[in-house]
């Protein structure tokens, strides 16, 4: 049996607006089963979800790993779309509670397997460590908000220099290349799925474009400075797809979640991706890619206006990088504190019992898969 395909993405992110969640887009609310995993740090939530996900991959099912933006090695969720099953980390900052208890959702509480007496002995240390985690994230979000303000200033200089006639022309050209042979379907409402393709993590900007774009045959790579029209171009293409009745996957900017960074149109095997800094990705690794077109919107800037603001733009670049790097440092410090807090929980856990619970959940997931196949 061929192994299933793995897709890795982010359901939430550390942004200029604080922690921003697209958790509601992991799976449809009428899913077969949604397991909401509760418990403290280090109790085995991520390990449990990853183990079940890898087992289903080995059985030939496509699986999504929804990665944690604050801990590169951890998972916030696992989804098996074909059978409508998901497992979600339901603890802060992405608090998840059942919306259809029993019928669809259920809570799996790994706190049932900890030694309360041992945890109470470390109560003071746990509370203090948790406070420091929260404080470092607060500092990180201040820095990201500062980075956004600097980016807005930077964008103002670039926007003044944009030749919008040429940007509109290239936008229309791309739109026609993608949609010219699409017959509109006005009988259905297009489905849109919102998530993050990249995240600001303890290791800086991280993306899993190689998995998100693994089935893409044609890719448009959009580059350019802030304010050169990238977000508007992607938004217009997304609106055109929706008007034609095409389902899309829209992956948002890790700093400014209102902006789309990657637009995927699965039925056409086409994607449009903003690959400007701080996002870096070598699309030559995509095995199914047949054609790629790179468009740099900075080529449509009036050089005379750019020269007028050369010092200001250079200053913005430097200040933005400084604020961004400070945010990454604070997120890394929060991760270090979180690791310390895990060290108080791990000795208090009954991991053999948790492993037995994992096998019980796996058996149920396999049963759901069998039930779906028989229908």
């Amino acid at each position: 049996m061929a192994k299933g395909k793995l897709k890795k993405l982010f359901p939430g992110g550390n942004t200029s607006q604080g922690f921003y969640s697209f958790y509601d887009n992991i799976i449809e609310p009428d899913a077969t089963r949604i397991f909401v995993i509760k418990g403290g740090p280090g109790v085995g939530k991520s390990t449990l979800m990853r183990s079940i996900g890898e087992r289903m991959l080995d059985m030939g099912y496509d699986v999504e790993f929804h990665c944690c933006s604050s801990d590169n090695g951890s998972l916030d969720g696992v989804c098996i779309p074909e059978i409508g099953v998901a497992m979600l980390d339901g603890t802060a900052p992405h608090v998840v509670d059942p919306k259809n208890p029993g019928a669809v959702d259920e809570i799996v509480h790994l706190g049932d397997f900890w030694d309360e007496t041992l945890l109470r002995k470390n109560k003071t240390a746990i509370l203090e460590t948790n406070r420091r985690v929260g404080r470092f994230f607060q500092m990180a979000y201040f820095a990201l908000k500062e980075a956004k303000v600097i980016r807005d200033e930077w964008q103002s200089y670039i926007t003044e220099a944009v030749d919008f006639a040429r940007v509109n022309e290239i936008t229309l050209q791309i739109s026609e290349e993608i949609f010219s042979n699409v017959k509109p379907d006005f009988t259905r409402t297009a489905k849109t799925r919102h998530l993050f393709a990249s995240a600001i993590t303890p290791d800086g900007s991280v993306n899993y474009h190689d998995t998100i774009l693994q089935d893409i045959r044609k890719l448009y790579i959009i580059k350019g400075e802030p304010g050169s029209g990238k977000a508007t171009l992607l938004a217009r293409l997304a609106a055109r797809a929706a008007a034609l009745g095409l389902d899309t996957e829209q992956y948002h900017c890790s700093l400014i979640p209102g902006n789309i960074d990657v637009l995927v149109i699965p039925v056409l095997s086409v994607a449009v991706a903003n690959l400007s800094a701080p996002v870096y990705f070598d699309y030559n690794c995509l095995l199914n890619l047949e054609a790629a077109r790179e468009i740099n919107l900075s080529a449509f800037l009036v050089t005379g206006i750019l020269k007028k603001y050369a010092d200001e733009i250079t200053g913005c670049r430097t200040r933005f990088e400084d604020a961004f790097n400070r945010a990454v440092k604070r997120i890394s410090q929060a991760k270090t504190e979180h690791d310390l807090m895990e060290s108080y929980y791990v000795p208090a856990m009954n991991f053999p019992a948790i492993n037995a619970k994992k096998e019980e959940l796996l058996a149920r997931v396999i049963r759901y898969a069998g039930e779906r196949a028989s229908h």
Side-chain angles (χ1 to χ4, degrees):
M1 178 182 295
K3 191 169 183 175
K5 293 180 181 178
L6 175 63
K7 181 186 288 187
K8 298 171 74 174
L9 28 74
F10 297 94
N14 302 305
T15 78
S16 59
Q17 298 179 34
F19 182 79
Y20 199 97
S21 174
F22 283 121
Y23 253 58
D24 288 345
N25 287 261
I26 293 179
I27 196 167
E28 297 287 346
D30 62 347
T32 303
R33 205 67 179 168
I34 300 174
F35 297 101
V36 181
I37 316 295
K38 300 276 190 177
V43 302
K45 301 184 298 294
S46 178
T47 301
L48 182 150
M49 292 188 291
R50 185 185 301 275
S51 178
I52 293 176
E54 289 175 345
R55 190 75 166 269
M56 298 307 289
L57 276 169
D58 290 338
M59 293 178 63
Y61 291 95
D62 293 347
V63 174
E64 295 177 349
F65 279 1
H66 290 260
C67 302
C68 177
S69 58
S70 301
D71 183 349
N72 301 60
S74 186
L75 297 180
D76 281 346
V78 168
C79 181
I80 311 157
E82 184 181 340
I83 62 174
V85 171
M87 289 157 282
L88 311 178
D89 181 341
T91 56
H94 30 67
V95 178
V96 179
D97 288 308
K99 296 179 180 177
N100 301 286
V104 175
D105 319 63
E106 68 177 84
I107 292 176
V108 178
H109 187 39
L110 298 189
D112 293 340
F113 307 109
W114 61 34
D115 183 341
E116 179 186 346
T117 302
L118 187 55
L119 289 176
R120 286 178 63 84
K121 286 181 180 178
N122 291 312
K123 176 181 176 180
T124 301
I126 290 171
L127 291 176
E128 175 58 21
T129 306
N130 202 19
R131 185 196 67 79
R132 287 199 299 269
V133 169
R135 187 67 172 122
F136 281 127
F137 273 118
Q138 183 184 46
M139 294 162 74
Y141 297 146
F142 283 147
L144 290 175
K145 188 177 293 187
E146 180 184 342
K148 168 64 166 57
V149 171
I150 296 167
R151 191 186 184 281
D152 288 343
E153 180 190 346
W154 182 0
Q155 179 174 315
S156 73
Y157 304 129
I158 301 300
T159 299
E160 187 175 332
V162 173
D163 182 341
F164 285 104
R166 295 183 68 190
V167 173
N168 289 336
E169 180 183 4
I170 197 70
T171 302
L172 180 61
Q173 186 182 107
I174 295 171
S175 182
E176 288 304 303
E177 286 183 18
I178 294 174
F179 302 114
S180 60
N181 295 321
V182 176
K183 184 178 179 180
D185 185 352
F186 301 121
T187 64
R188 70 185 298 273
T189 301
K191 293 181 180 180
T192 304
R193 193 182 189 204
H194 300 275
L195 291 159
F196 290 102
S198 62
I200 302 168
T201 79
D203 290 337
S205 181
V206 171
N207 71 77
Y208 297 111
H209 288 14
D210 57 325
T211 70
I212 290 165
L213 302 174
Q214 61 187 305
D215 294 323
I216 294 303
R217 292 199 298 271
K218 187 165 187 178
L219 176 64
Y220 292 86
I221 303 98
I222 312 299
K223 294 187 176 181
E225 295 203 56
S228 59
K230 304 184 300 295
T232 301
L233 183 153
L234 279 152
R236 287 179 178 174
L237 295 177
R240 178 87 186 270
L244 293 169
L246 298 174
D247 295 343
T248 59
E249 297 171 7
Q250 297 180 17
Y251 298 96
H252 292 251
C253 173
S254 57
L255 178 68
I256 308 170
N259 291 350
I260 303 169
D261 261 1
V262 181
L263 174 68
V264 176
I265 311 171
V267 72
L268 301 180
S269 297
V270 168
V272 185
N274 170 15
L275 296 184
S276 302
V279 175
Y280 298 97
F281 172 66
D282 182 3
Y283 55 85
N284 292 304
C285 72
L286 300 174
L287 300 179
N288 292 314
L289 191 64
E290 297 172 359
R293 181 181 176 189
E294 189 168 319
I295 302 101
N296 191 340
L297 297 186
S298 290
F300 306 140
L301 301 179
V302 179
T303 55
I305 297 176
L306 286 180
K307 288 180 181 178
K308 183 169 66 173
Y309 295 118
D311 290 343
E312 287 79 6
I313 292 170
T314 299
C316 285
R317 284 199 188 98
T318 301
R319 288 185 289 123
F320 177 87
E321 184 175 348
D322 177 66
F324 186 89
N325 288 340
R326 276 190 284 113
V328 170
K329 179 180 178 180
R330 298 309 186 193
I331 295 169
S332 179
Q333 289 173 312
K335 167 70 165 57
T336 299
E337 291 293 330
H338 190 272
D339 290 346
L340 176 60
M341 188 154 51
E342 285 188 356
S343 72
Y344 299 125
Y345 279 84
V346 170
M349 301 308 300
N350 182 349
F351 286 108
I354 291 175
N355 191 57
K357 184 66 177 180
K358 179 199 72 179
E359 292 300 323
E360 174 197 324
L361 292 176
L362 175 61
R364 290 177 62 188
V365 171
I366 293 172
R367 188 180 81 235
Y368 294 139
E371 292 172 355
R372 180 66 70 96
S374 65
H375 288 163

